[in-house]
Amino acid sequence: MKWLINQNNPKTMTVSFTREAAADHFSVCRRTIDYWVFRLRFFGLLAPIASGRSARYAPKGQPATDLAPVYTFTTPDPDHKLFSNPNLTQTETVDCTPSPVRESKTSWLKTGTQKISYETLCARAYARYARKHRGSLEAKRQRLTTAPGSKPEEAQLKHLARCLQHHSPADLRRIGLKPILAETTRFFRAGWQVADIIHALETRPDGSRYDTSGSGGMRSVQAWLRLRLKAWMKDSQPVTAPSKAKAQAEATRKAEQARQRAQADAERSQRISAAKDSPARIAVRRKTAIIRCGSEQAARHQHPELFEGA
């Protein structure tokens, strides 16, 4: 606590320090500093004003430097349950204030995770992956297609599951990767894309949309995922992916259009050739040849086909 007081700025009444600097000063690891900062904030002795920032997240045009978080000292709430126990004297209550010296053997990580639900842990796992692979996840936003990569199949399936969490309703972010892979692996192996699964979660095979969006009203998100994808299976195998079916229908439509266009061109050519051989056109061409040649005898000699039957 004395070290924090020495770091205090009397003008702004704030204190700013990095975990690395505190760890070097006390010769402890960074997790120990995180533990005591958590304790100071929990007991109401330290309040955050601005969060820090790593150099790699610096905006473009600004220097790539680390920014330390900014805190301020606060007065503990006397009504807090840790300070309002009537069986404790004032001295005992003050003694329960955390010290900057490591004196507790309780694992901060263990005590923290005991209070976190399974859904929160899954959401945090997704958030950690999204921060690392943001570009790879966002690159699939337009078409959400699976480009063949050099990664093993298991790694590709895991990335596709994360991509599905990233672009699908937030319900899938409350479960882990294993339940998602258990329901979607056969679809991915059958050539389905992420966009196809998102389409299957919102639309029935006949094209009608579901009345409800997301897994609201269902006890299990995995059961909701299994139920929506089961409608797109036939004989225990996924049907043709919606994107492939759409591509096939588009190819068939274009082939039919090309056939109709070729037929129309052939009919038009026949009409043009038939129009050229009509009696009226032949009579006009005969008169033109007589005028060009100067006499009918010369025209008959040069263009005998125009005077056949005349």
Side-chain angles (χ1 to χ4, degrees):
M1 200 67 182
K2 292 181 180 179
W3 182 79
L4 289 179
I5 294 175
N6 293 333
Q7 305 296 323
N8 183 38
N9 188 347
K11 294 183 179 180
T12 60
M13 300 300 293
T14 58
V15 55
S16 178
F17 64 93
T18 61
R19 303 292 197 274
E20 291 77 6
D24 294 341
H25 178 78
F26 291 105
S27 299
V28 295
C29 64
R30 178 173 174 174
R31 180 168 292 185
T32 302
I33 301 300
D34 292 338
Y35 165 73
W36 285 112
V37 170
F38 167 78
R39 295 269 291 180
L40 291 173
R41 293 179 57 181
F42 178 78
F43 282 95
L45 299 175
L46 200 65
I49 295 180
S51 59
R53 186 197 66 200
S54 177
R56 60 177 179 173
Y57 296 113
K60 294 183 178 179
Q62 295 187 10
T65 56
D66 296 333
L67 294 181
V70 181
Y71 299 93
T72 184
F73 293 110
T74 58
T75 304
D77 185 7
D79 296 332
H80 195 278
K81 61 181 180 180
L82 296 176
F83 297 95
S84 58
N85 192 343
N87 297 326
L88 298 177
T89 62
Q90 183 177 4
T91 305
E92 291 173 339
T93 305
V94 172
D95 289 341
C96 71
T97 303
S99 170
V101 182
R102 182 169 56 183
E103 59 185 14
S104 175
K105 296 182 180 180
T106 305
S107 172
W108 168 72
L109 181 61
K110 183 180 296 185
T111 56
T113 55
Q114 288 177 351
K115 301 178 183 179
I116 298 176
S117 63
Y118 170 74
E119 296 179 355
T120 305
L121 286 176
C122 294
R124 290 184 179 180
Y126 154 76
R128 287 194 299 268
Y129 189 89
R131 282 196 297 269
K132 285 186 178 181
H133 304 81
R134 176 73 60 178
S136 180
L137 295 177
E138 292 294 337
K140 298 180 175 59
R141 176 174 292 278
Q142 298 299 327
R143 297 183 60 85
L144 301 181
T145 56
T146 359
S150 59
K151 296 182 179 179
E153 183 186 16
E154 183 179 359
Q156 289 186 8
L157 291 175
K158 288 183 179 180
H159 182 72
L160 289 174
R162 288 300 188 192
C163 189
L164 180 61
Q165 284 184 314
H166 186 71
H167 295 284
S168 64
D171 298 333
L172 294 181
R173 301 179 187 178
R174 297 190 283 116
I175 59 177
L177 276 181
K178 288 185 178 180
I180 298 177
L181 290 175
E183 306 301 334
T184 60
T185 297
R186 64 181 69 181
F187 288 87
F188 286 136
R189 287 176 177 171
W192 281 53
Q193 312 292 344
V194 177
D196 296 328
I197 295 184
I198 295 177
H199 176 77
L201 295 179
E202 299 174 352
T203 312
R204 297 183 180 90
D206 58 0
S208 61
R209 297 184 64 88
Y210 288 101
D211 298 334
T212 58
S213 179
S215 61
M218 295 198 65
R219 184 176 300 178
S220 172
V221 178
Q222 183 179 0
W224 166 78
L225 180 62
R226 184 187 307 116
L227 182 64
R228 292 289 175 93
L229 293 180
K230 186 178 180 180
W232 292 82
M233 297 186 64
K234 185 177 182 181
D235 299 333
S236 302
Q237 293 296 330
V239 299
T240 305
S243 60
K244 285 188 177 181
K246 185 178 180 181
Q248 292 174 0
E250 185 69 14
T252 304
R253 184 182 65 83
K254 289 184 178 180
E256 181 64 20
Q257 287 181 349
R259 187 189 65 81
Q260 294 178 359
R261 192 179 301 111
Q263 183 178 359
D265 293 341
E267 293 177 355
R268 188 181 303 109
S269 300
Q270 292 178 359
R271 289 196 304 268
I272 293 174
S273 61
K276 288 182 178 179
D277 298 335
S278 63
R281 281 183 173 271
I282 293 176
V284 172
R285 291 170 61 188
R286 186 185 305 124
K287 291 180 180 180
T288 305
I290 293 172
I291 296 172
R292 186 182 301 115
C293 296
S295 64
E296 182 177 352
Q297 184 178 2
R300 283 177 179 274
H301 179 72
Q302 294 185 12
H303 304 283
E305 70 277 1
L306 298 178
F307 295 89
E308 293 178 358

